[in-house]
Amino acid sequence: MHPAFSVIFFTAASGAGYGLVALVGLLSAFGRVPQAGWFGFAALAFALALITAGLLSSSFHLGRPERAWRAFSQWRSSWLSREGVIAVLSYAPTGVFGLGWVVFGRTDGWFALAGLMATAMAMLTVWCTAMIYASLKPIHQWHNKWVPANYLSLALLTGALWLNALVHLWGRPDPVVGAIAVAATLLAAWLKESYWRFIDTVPAASTPESATGLGARGTVRVLDAPHTEENYLLKEMGYKVARKHAVKLRRLARLFAFALPLALTLAAFVAPAPLALLAALVAAGSAMLGVLVERWLFFAEARHTVTLYYGARQV
Amino acid sequence: MDGSPAAGKSVRKRTLTERLFGGQEQVDTSPKVADEVKYTTCYMCACRCGIKVHLLDGRIRYIEGNRNHPINRGVLCAKGSAGIMQQYSPAKLTKPLRRVGERGAGEFKEIEWDEALGLASEWLGRIRASDPRKLAFFTGRDQSQSLTGWWAAQFGTPNFAAHGGFCSVNMAAAGLYTVGGSFWEFGEPDWERSEYFLMFGVAEDHDSNPIKLGISRLKARGAKFVSVNPVKTGYSAVADEWIGIRPGTDGLFVFALIHELLRADRIDLDFLARYTNAPWLVIRNPGQGDDGLFTRDAEGNPLAWDAKKQAAVNALGVDVSPAIAGEVTLPDGRKAVPVFQLLAERYLDPSYAPDEVAKRCGVPADTIRRIAAELAHAAFAKQIVLDQPWTDWAGRRHDKMIGRPVAMHAMRGISAHSNGFHTCRAIHVLQMLLGAVDTPGSWRYKAPFPRSCPPPGKPGGKTVAANTPLGGMPLGFPLGPEDLLVEADGTPQRIDKAYSWEAPVAAHGLMHMVITNAWKGDPYPIDTLFMYMSNMSWNSAMNTAGTIGMLTDKDPATGEYKIPRIIYSDAYFSEMVAYADLLLPDTTYLERWDCISLLDRPIGSAEGPADSIRQPVIKPDRDVRPFQEVLIDLGARLKLPGLTNPDGTAKYPGGYPDYIANHESKPGIGPLAGWRGEDGESHGTGPANPRQLDKYIEHQCFWHYELPADQLYYKHANRNYLETAKRLGFIDKAEQIVLQLYSEPLQKFRLAARGFGPVQPPDRERARIEANFDPLPIWHMPFEEAAVDNDTFPLHAITQRPMPMYHSWGSQNAWLRQIMSHNRLYMNRRTAASLGIADDDWVWVTSHHNRVKAQVRLMEGVNPNTVWTWNAIGKRAGAWNLAHNAPEAVRAFLLNHVISELLPERNGYRYSNSDPVTGQAAWYDLRVRVEKADAVEAGETAPSFPPLKTPPGLASPPSILRYGADFKSRDAAEEGGK
Amino acid sequence: MTSYVSPATGQKQLGLVIDLDTCVGCHACAVNCKEWNTGGHSAPLPDYAPYAADASGVWFNRIHSFEAGEGDDSRTVHFPKSCLHCAEPACVEVCPTGASYKREEDGIVLVNADTCIGCKLCSWACPYGAREFDEDAGVMKKCTLCIDRIYNDNLDEVDRVPACVSTCPASARHFGDLGDPNSTVSRLVAERGGFDLMPELGYKPINKYLPARAARKTAGCTGAPAALEPAGVDGAKGLLRWLDRALSR
Ligand SMILES: Nc1nc2c(c(=O)[nH]1)N[C@H]1C(S)=C(S)[C@@H](COP(=O)(O)OP(=O)(O)OC[C@H]3O[C@@H](n4cnc5c(=O)[nH]c(N)nc54)[C@H](O)[C@@H]3O)O[C@H]1N2
Ligand SMILES: Nc1nc2c(c(=O)[nH]1)N[C@H]1C(S)=C(S)[C@@H](COP(=O)(O)OP(=O)(O)OC[C@H]3O[C@@H](n4cnc5c(=O)[nH]c(N)nc54)[C@H](O)[C@@H]3O)O[C@H]1N2
Ligand code: SF4
Ligand code: SF4
Ligand code: SF4
Ligand code: SF4
Ligand code: SF4
Ligand SMILES: [Mo]
């Protein structure tokens, strides 16, 4: 699949934003984040900025952005529609939660509930985003259970690392937050590795033979494509990344999304304050970069069944 | 289909979301399609299907097939469906052009028509007043040969031909000299009745849609379809059996089939005795001047041996019991044998046994034996008996029509080889042995064929004089050496050397040799090359680079171009345009009158003759004129006899439509056969009808005469049909047309080679004529293969026509070029592996002449000794108003770059790369080697030529096309207005 | 949960049946489709860089060519493909705007160009590559089954079939109601073993493909023997056989 930058940025940024919202909502209910209104403002503003930038960027992907509002209509069947609806709805609990925290300085009671609701809706939004991909049967690399797990865990990972950076920035490092960041990193790494193992080992059901129904006669090969130059289908869905290249990029993703953040987060536990802050910040930035690479690969490694009609031996 | 309008509306309760976000779309299922529908004839290729052009707001909304048209019965091919894009092509020429820079530099200035025509008539007038031969007038893909040929004759030059010489003259000539009709587009399988269809070397054919319609019909009925073709695509892909023969060996394959049929005595002797010259007696008198000629009586009738009377009798008589074997002694003491015996002796020879030819052809002997058995089974075990009485040529009534449901068709896979004439004759002989010519279920003539056999009409031009029309038409059919166009010493009289000893039966000329010969001044220099609708500097040239050089070469002594003047008419900016000194821009096929005449390349079918017209359906938006109109105007300016009245005024002041309706080539015979006579009630022949074109328009632009049921078969011997044909003006006498297994005219040339007769070949030609003018079909190795080292050039290289492209002119079409703008070199997967070549690799294809670079596509369905590509996809950069980096110019290639118009030298002489009998260009004799190109060479083709400059006046190509958007907004506007 | 309801059995489901046994790969249907539709319901079908490098455009129907099998036994198959008007069209399900829909009355899958936001998701959801994005207008387009022909009162009855069907020179395309088991097309599918593309994905395409028939190249395939019996005409005495054959003209 063609790795459209707007979509990659959207999922990575909004994922981090929702991850952050989710963690802040959850932890603040348990009083595990600084109670200061300024902190709340910074955390939530940063999260909403990530989310909003992502959402805006995703509309660049639309052929008719001015009609984007129409996308709220099909929530009964379309994951994209659901994602849109929930994304918009999630502003409400997050707003109430933020209002309580920043303006009224309160994170308890109804506001805590709003925080928990924000957590749930943030995660739900990420899940919807993942389900947009996971529901697409023609794309074996997307249509599997690892995809929602990856999306959720990576959102948590980036959210946790940003939260850790924020608490360090606030001068209030918290071992629980640090531990969550470490756990999220390990979980996300394990899920991503499982995903990669899955797409490397489990073949798609569809083949050129099933795509054409000609399998009974033997191997099916393309003699001539319908057009000698690329058409929309190939430009959009025929993107191919060389195996060698993919291996390299996976390494980079591992490094930036998991290895470095893990090491830096651990280092932040023990390092003196200014260095710990730097470590936490770099960990979050590195994870963002890692997720961008991961997301690029998520598209680039995804192979659509339509390519079976254009010479792909497998998808 | 349930087509009730209610079904088009969706009725459903609107949900909440629908009310919020708008409901389901209301689809207009009955939009208006056209303000007006005009019928005309397609010319996206030469098949000439009937079309309906839907016009909306003065633009073309849709072109569809005419269901009533006999050729296409409503269907349309890809090209025909892309007519809109041809009409709006930015490659359309817009105004007459005169060269201002060096020839080939593409520097032109626009001039007015008056100046253009004045210039042309000045140039041509000078030639006509001195030596009319100095005008070489060659036309390409046109359909107006009866006009152009007649014009040339009026002008007085023998140097006229159309594209047939490089196209398929082998098929035409072999057919006309053998069965009085031909494959090409003049015959067709009996699609409704055939049980077995054997097709040789056909990719797309002039019968594009009819063949597709036919094959699906045949398959639906469960008949077996066998395709003999080195490549398994298109028709071969849907064949029940594919025979992936090695190119150039079909003759041997056919001989082996004949061998098998003879050996098993599974042949139709009755058919042979009645309808062919099988019983005719051939003189056996080795070393003498009558050897191999037919015995004839005092009236010139051929003789046969009457087994009952035990005497030689007129072979054309009615009550004859002819012997078909056994040597006889004639009253004058000479020995003679029936044709059949010679034939049987020849093909029973063990050298034609399946086991012998199998290796050469690459077809297993068992397959050959099985095909022979299947042919015999289909012809005899599945014999068709129609309850249809008919009367034969002798007036005898038959209750039934007996059919041999085996049909054959062959085209350029046979034709475009130097042994193609004989191979095609071999196929016709095979048909005759099976009794499968124009019988129910077999191959059938398309009216106006059959014609007398060998064909009538000799080439004109023996004598040429200033300001004098030619004594006859330039093209014709020689029946012996005395009909050749040669000087006493054997020097060719025509610029293309047609009808010379190098190509005696060159019934369509040798267009592929004109530029080379004119450049060399061999046999003589010319003054003006006048061409129409032919891309002779590119895809119809052999030796492209050489041809370009010759077109621009100057005589160092005089500084004049070797070909001093070139006048060219094209409708589009083709590669050839750059080489014109004077360019006459033509209209498109939707803008002009045209006449698809029985006198040209008719569109008749086996069910009856047909002709048709094109009418202008859209007005040109440029300063262009129909070429026929221009030719008639030029003729009047030159005061050509047929085009001027005695008082010097133009004979056809109304231009081409005037000519179509009023010209008569013979009294009562004009370009169109329908609705003749003052009252418009005569068909075939009759006085001119000034309202004839209106009649055609009333009848959807075509005329089709349906033959009655008793005339549908055995046309060569069917009295009622022959009388109809005479009445319609197709034949002079309603006489049986006897099919010629043995071709006596060929023997006459051979006797000349042996030293007999007054017209003698130069000594150099004797052996060649002796070998190639065998009166029975022979096979020889294709000349190029025989001349080059086959270890150095181990592969055959051929081309195929892509179904959605018409030669070079498809690439300017925005829709068609999206289908194919890059052609690959297709190779057998195993052959490629043995050469270390992988899919998508770039390779050099090298012949004895040149080399070209191409990208490879591997496949299974191709003969392992053969590589091939799609024809005419490669384009010169800049031509057709395409971007210079268009794939057509950067990646696509022409095999023409490596095909030479001349064979390698032998005994100090280079013959043209042609069939020695007809002069047919031997495109598919090409031998090559294929080598992987260096990595740095990948990605681009070579050779590449400097880009052509865009001539003035052309539209600038849009970067995005939204054709049809207007129709939609019009809908919206109308909706809004309601 | 979805707003889309699968068609009930027996419900009208218009579609195409494509005969791979006779399709010669001529592209007529593809070009005629383009020609009709560029001025039709989904007008226009734009073309980008139409006279330059990398030309591409919107086509509702495309012709592929495949080879199946090895060596002489391989079969070249020309393979037209347009929207299959699936019974379970995920392209409709994923559409966030409802612009994609399947008509209840005849099963035709359409896009409402007035409400499409051009998110391209439907084209990702279609396994067959039957969706065509109009970059220029920013909306998705696709085969309409010629909805503006098949019910068009301005056309003669015989012409009320999809453009690709009426133009196909090899009669390889058939149009009709595949929801009705007794329709001509349904019977054709039953007789010839018509099949679905990628049945494993469960889209239940309405369009069906008829398989290419097996080659006929074994002895007896037409009823003829493997070789002809010699009649003893070989050699010197061979021609004797024909010497006194009684024939007449
Ligand atoms: N390698 C290889 N070469 C081949 C062949 C092959 O099989 N292989 N085939 C050969 C054969 S059989 C043929 S017939 C030739 C064909 O080759 P050409 O006869 O050269 O055919 P086209 O390329 O179509 O060129 C015809 C010219 O007519 C112009 N034209 C189109 N419409 C009109 C019109 O309405 N009016 C006028 N005035 N001009 C028009 C086009 O712009 C074009 O320049 O190619 C030959 N060349
Ligand atoms: N779409 C389209 N239609 C056209 C044309 C076009 O350019 N495009 N051109 C028109 C013209 S001018 C012509 S002349 C006709 C020609 O119509 P065809 O005769 O169908 O033309 P080719 O494409 O030359 O086909 C030659 C076929 O013969 C095969 N072949 C080559 N060598 C041999 C051999 O030795 N033996 C056998 N058995 N087969 C062999 C090739 O693989 C190829 O399939 O088509 C006309 N129709
Ligand atoms: S075969 Fe195609 S291009 Fe040729 S005349 Fe017919 S419709 Fe036109
Ligand atoms: S073929 Fe594709 S676009 Fe058509 S209905 Fe099925 S899924 Fe949708
Ligand atoms: S591109 Fe249009 S039709 Fe397709 S899913 Fe998006 S909104 Fe629906
Ligand atoms: S049904 Fe109509 S829109 Fe669909 S492929 Fe055929 S011609 Fe095109
Ligand atoms: S028009 Fe018919 S034969 Fe040609 S590609 Fe389409 S389906 Fe095949
Ligand atoms: Mo030709």
Side-chain angles (χ1 to χ4, degrees), chain C residues 16 29 33 37 60-61 82 85 143-146 162-165 173:
Chain C
L16 302 173
C29 51
C33 164
N37 284 293
F60 292 170
N61 184 14
S82 52
H85 298 279
C143 159
T144 66
L145 209 62
C146 287
C164 57
V165 172
R173 305 176 73 88

Side-chain angles (χ1 to χ4, degrees), chain B residues 436-494:
Chain B
V437 174
D438 215 56
T439 75
S442 67
W443 173 85
R444 304 162 76 188
Y445 299 101
K446 290 183 176 183
F449 295 95
R451 284 186 158 142
S452 47
C453 179
K458 305 198 165 162
K462 279 203 164 170
T463 53
V464 175
N467 289 326
T468 311
L470 214 60
M473 289 293 267
L475 298 176
F477 303 95
L479 299 184
E482 57 293 346
D483 297 333
L484 293 181
L485 298 184
V486 287
E487 306 293 349
D489 65 354
T491 307
Q493 287 179 322
R494 281 178 55 117

